[in-house]
Structure formats: structure tokens, C-alpha cells
């Protein structure tokens, strides 16, 4: 079965705290891509990162970092020193090459950062 | 910047009406997608298209159809709207090959069927 699970439905933190959003995926494919998207209150999904299955290097972009571990089928997202503007729904997604490249989304994690 | 626009941000329709949701992208992308978003379910793919006049069913195509007569435009049609089609509808586009590149999303249309 191809599936993405974001077990955390809602997370609430206080500004400047670090927060990690979990993503666990299932696929039998050996070649796949994983994505993170942010959906702010305005509603438009914003692309954050793409990672292919052959590249397990962690990535850092400013306050954002991603930890990809094939051994545990996880692709977790950490925000360091969170800010109110980080409040949004975050989606993890998996692309299936054997099904025409469909994106399979997780249920999303709603992050609330309070001042 | 890639721009994906959707014809309406909010729409209210009556049960049984035929509803058209329009999506236009300005980056010459081959691939276009329609999703619906419901609380607790994430985004679910309704239909997608790899090229003009081509369409493929997604996970939940029942009650919907699509039209792609021009490369930049992808329309979602609710043949006879029902209350269980009340949802947020999101359109997206991406270049080929499908899956390699990120999808660019429009702002969404919140449809209410009464």
C-alpha cells in the first residue's frame, strides 16, 4: 500500500520554540520523491522541499531543516526558533512513479505558533 | 513566478446545479491536477491531465468530469452538485516529467452546495 501518515493533527508551540513535524511513508517503489508543502491561512499551498529516494542527505534552509531516513521511512521537518508566521497547515506528500506520478498527501499537521 | 489562478475563491451553489470550476496556469506546464481538500483527509486527487484533451482519473472521480481544450486551462465540472461535494477545491500544475517537479497550486475555491 502507498501511504503517507502525519500522526500529529495539531501542534501548538510558543514563539522561539523548536518544533518537529513527523512524516512516515509507505511504498514498495525504489524510486520516489517526497515533498513538503505549507498551507498558510490564505489557502494556497506553497512548495517547501523535494527529496528523491536516492538522496538521504539532510537539508537545511534557514530555520527549516529536513531529516530523511529510508531505514525508518520517515521524512521529518523541523522549524527552529518558530515564529508566528510559521502558523499554517503542513503537508507531506509522496510521488508514485508506477501510478503516473500521482501525489499522495498526508492528512496534514496544523501548526499554531503563539506569541 | 508561476501563476495558477482559479476562477472563484468562494462559490455557493444549489443541489442539482451544474458547476464549473476553472483553472488557468501561465507557465506552459503540461500537467494539471484537480484536488479536493477536506478536514482530516488531506488532499485527494480527483482528475489529472498530461496534455491537451487528455485526462486520467484520480482517486475520487465519481460525480466529477474535466475538460482540457487548451494547454493552460483545466476545468472541473460537477455534473449535478450534491451536498457531499461541499469542499475546498485546489488546482495545480507542473512541468514534465510528472512527479519529478513540484506542483504549483492555485489559491483554491471553497464550494458550498446547499
Amino acid at each position: 500500500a502507498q501511504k503517507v501518515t502525519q500522526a500529529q493533527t495539531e501542534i501548538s508551540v510558543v514563539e522561539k520554540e523548536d518544533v518537529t513535524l513527523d512524516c512516515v511513508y509507505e511504498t514498495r517503489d525504489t524510486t520516489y520523491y517526497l515533498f513538503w508543502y505549507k498551507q498558510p491561512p490564505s489557502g494556497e499551498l506553497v512548495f517547501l522541499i523535494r527529496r528523491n529516494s536516492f538522496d538521504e542527505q539532510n537539508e537545511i534552509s534557514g530555520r527549516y531543516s529536513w531529516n530523511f531516513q529510508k531505514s525508518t521511512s520517515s521524512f521529518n521537518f523541523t522549524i527552529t526558533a518558530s515564529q508566528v508566521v510559521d502558523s499554517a497547515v503542513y503537508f507531506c506528500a509522496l510521488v508514485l512513479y508506477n501510478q503516473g506520478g500521482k501525489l499522495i498527501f498526508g492528512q496534514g499537521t496544523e501548526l499554531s505558533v503563539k506569541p | 513566478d508561476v501563476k495558477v489562478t482559479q476562477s472563484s475563491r468562494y462559490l455557493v451553489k444549489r443541489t442539482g446545479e451544474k458547476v464549473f470550476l476553472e483553472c488557468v496556469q501561465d507557465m506552459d506546464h503540461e500537467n494539471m491536477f484537480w484536488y479536493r481538500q477536506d478536514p482530516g483527509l488531506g488532499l485527494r486527487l480527483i482528475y489529472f491531465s498530461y496534455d491537451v484533451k487528455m485526462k486520467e482519473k484520480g482517486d475520487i472521480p465519481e460525480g466529477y468530469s474535466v475538460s482540457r481544450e487548451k494547454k493552460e486551462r483545466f476545468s472541473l465540472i460537477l455534473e449535478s452538485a450534491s451536498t457531499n461535494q461541499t469542499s475546498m477545491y485546489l488546482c495545480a500544475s507542473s512541468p514534465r516529467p510528472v512527479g519529478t517537479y513540484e506542483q504549483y497550486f492555485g489559491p483554491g475555491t471553497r464550494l458550498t452546495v446547499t
Side-chain angles (χ1 to χ4, degrees):
Chain A
Q2 322 277 3
K3 190 179 175 184
V4 175
T5 301
Q6 296 178 255
Q8 304 149 309
T9 305
E10 296 178 10
I11 301 176
S12 183
V13 299
V14 177
E15 208 169 19
K16 297 184 184 173
E17 283 187 38
D18 298 347
V19 58
T20 296
L21 282 60
D22 298 332
C23 173
V24 174
Y25 63 93
E26 298 174 30
T27 180
R28 289 185 291 269
D29 288 12
T30 55
T31 305
Y32 52 88
Y33 281 81
L34 294 162
F35 296 79
W36 275 96
Y37 284 87
K38 173 183 179 180
Q39 186 178 41
S42 60
E44 188 167 335
L45 270 80
V46 177
F47 165 75
L48 295 177
I49 191 171
R50 174 182 70 246
R51 175 65 73 223
N52 74 55
S53 53
F54 300 109
D55 182 3
E56 286 195 71
Q57 276 193 327
N58 292 331
E59 180 149 344
I60 298 174
S61 176
R63 298 185 294 108
Y64 295 171
S65 62
W66 291 269
N67 179 246
F68 176 31
Q69 293 194 345
K70 286 178 75 170
S71 60
T72 57
S73 296
S74 66
F75 186 41
N76 296 337
F77 173 32
T78 297
I79 302 174
T80 302
S82 60
Q83 299 176 3
V84 173
V85 293
D86 296 325
S87 296
V89 181
Y90 291 86
F91 290 96
C92 180
L94 165 72
V95 164
L96 312 175
Y97 275 84
N98 66 353
Q99 291 189 33
K102 289 195 319 183
L103 265 179
I104 302 294
F105 282 86
Q107 304 92 321
T109 297
E110 184 171 4
L111 173 65
S112 176
V113 181
K114 302 189 186 307
Chain B
D1 274 354
V2 177
K3 199 73 176 173
V4 179
T5 56
Q6 296 183 229
S7 50
S8 306
R9 290 300 303 269
Y10 300 94
L11 209 52
V12 180
K13 295 291 182 181
R14 294 191 180 276
T15 301
E17 278 192 79
K18 190 168 186 175
V19 182
F20 292 87
L21 302 182
E22 304 287 341
C23 175
V24 178
Q25 51 94 3
D26 66 359
M27 285 301 292
D28 204 34
H29 286 170
E30 289 82 6
N31 310 309
M32 297 188 74
F33 308 83
W34 274 107
Y35 297 89
R36 65 175 281 176
Q37 181 180 4
D38 301 287
L41 297 177
L43 278 74
R44 293 178 293 166
L45 183 64
I46 305 171
Y47 268 97
F48 59 108
S49 170
Y50 294 131
D51 206 342
V52 175
K53 298 193 186 298
M54 292 183 65
K55 59 184 179 184
E56 296 282 343
K57 290 180 180 178
D59 297 316
I60 50 166
E62 295 77 21
Y64 304 95
S65 62
V66 290
S67 173
R68 193 164 181 201
E69 296 296 321
K70 293 186 177 181
K71 190 176 186 179
E72 66 271 18
R73 188 179 298 269
F74 192 35
S75 303
L76 179 69
I77 304 156
L78 285 66
E79 297 291 342
S80 178
S82 63
T83 54
N84 63 14
Q85 292 178 309
T86 291
S87 186
M88 169 73 92
Y89 290 87
L90 292 159
C91 176
S93 72
S94 73
R96 280 188 184 143
V98 161
T100 303
Y101 296 97
E102 62 270 25
Q103 295 182 13
Y104 295 85
F105 285 82
T109 295
R110 188 167 293 282
L111 173 68
T112 302
V113 182
T114 61

